[in-house]
Amino acid sequence: MAAYERLGEPLDPASTVLLTVECQRGVVGPDGALPELAREARSSGALGNVARLVAAAHEAGVQVIHAIAERRPDGRGASRNARLFRAAERLPVRQLTGSTAVRVAPPIEVTEDDLVVRRLHGLSPLHGTDVDALLRNLGCRTLVVTGVSANVAIPNAVFDAVNLGYTAVVPADAIAGVPADYTPAMVRHTLALVATVTTTDAVLGSLERS
């Protein structure tokens, strides 16, 4: 299990942003490109916990940003400098711009106040995207990181957030990766060194107190 920390002061809705990472139908949906990851995200309860956090953020007035990974049908601008990218090109379900695959997956609800940031390249929801500029314009100091995968995009998001000066909070039960036992190891031995590792219930309680 991860070494959880107390959140301390309640999260301030004015300076907190909730980030969902690649919680899109083509990734965590039942007919997604990565069935093992989709099953783990759902069976572990991580996707349901992301939905709970998003709903609570809406209620508390916390800004929600959904980070979506997609590609153009012609592949223009897509990264090809890693094995992961080349493998993605061969998957039966592709994350094509405008397709159902790049819509935020149920049970997560998206409101008109949410921001959706789409990237065509790279591994990180922050680096090379609009997310950092949006966070600064929103007055963000604390970034709550949720979603998939604990293998690649989540650690990228956390490291980038910390390098950019934000305090990263990771509800460990609202992220997922494969195999199942990899996520708690990643959290304990890596993410816990740079982020505040907590639980969905702790974040929900903090938002209620705020």
Side-chain angles (χ1 to χ4, degrees):
M1 294 295 293
Y4 297 133
E5 292 185 57
R6 293 176 60 88
L7 282 172
E9 294 296 320
L11 294 170
D12 180 2
S15 60
T16 299
V17 171
L18 174 66
L19 179 70
T20 77
V21 179
E22 297 181 25
C23 291
Q24 56 204 72
R25 296 186 183 199
V27 175
V28 297
D31 299 318
L34 304 167
E36 184 181 3
L37 177 59
R39 284 194 298 270
E40 179 60 25
R42 291 174 176 275
S43 65
S44 69
L47 188 62
N49 284 333
V50 175
R52 293 171 63 205
L53 289 165
V54 168
H58 291 156
E59 182 70 21
V62 170
Q63 180 66 57
V64 177
I65 297 179
H66 304 283
I68 301 296
E70 60 181 47
R71 60 186 292 119
R72 288 166 50 109
D74 62 8
R76 192 177 299 272
S79 301
R80 293 184 176 84
N81 58 335
R83 178 182 173 189
L84 177 64
F85 302 131
R86 297 189 293 273
E89 294 178 347
R90 300 191 295 272
L91 292 173
V93 177
R94 301 173 68 198
Q95 315 302 316
L96 298 181
T97 300
S99 70
T100 301
V102 297
R103 296 178 186 172
V104 175
I108 299 169
E109 293 189 3
V110 181
T111 71
E112 61 182 11
D113 293 328
D114 293 1
L115 297 171
V116 180
V117 177
R118 304 179 183 277
R119 77 177 194 274
L120 293 173
H121 60 85
L123 299 169
S124 173
L126 274 73
H127 180 73
T129 74
D130 291 336
V131 171
D132 179 39
L134 292 173
L135 294 177
R136 295 189 187 283
N137 290 345
L138 291 164
C140 176
R141 293 196 297 273
T142 301
L143 185 64
V144 182
V145 180
T146 67
V148 298
S149 72
N151 304 76
V152 179
I154 293 297
N156 266 270
V158 171
F159 292 148
D160 285 345
V162 172
N163 284 331
L164 290 166
Y166 303 105
T167 296
V169 173
V170 179
D173 54 354
I175 65 171
V178 289
D181 59 0
Y182 178 77
T183 299
M186 160 62 78
V187 170
R188 173 179 287 276
H189 299 295
T190 302
L191 299 187
L193 302 178
V194 295
T196 299
V197 175
T198 185
T199 65
T200 294
D201 285 343
V203 173
L204 295 176
S206 181
L207 290 177
E208 288 177 0
R209 292 195 302 274
S210 68

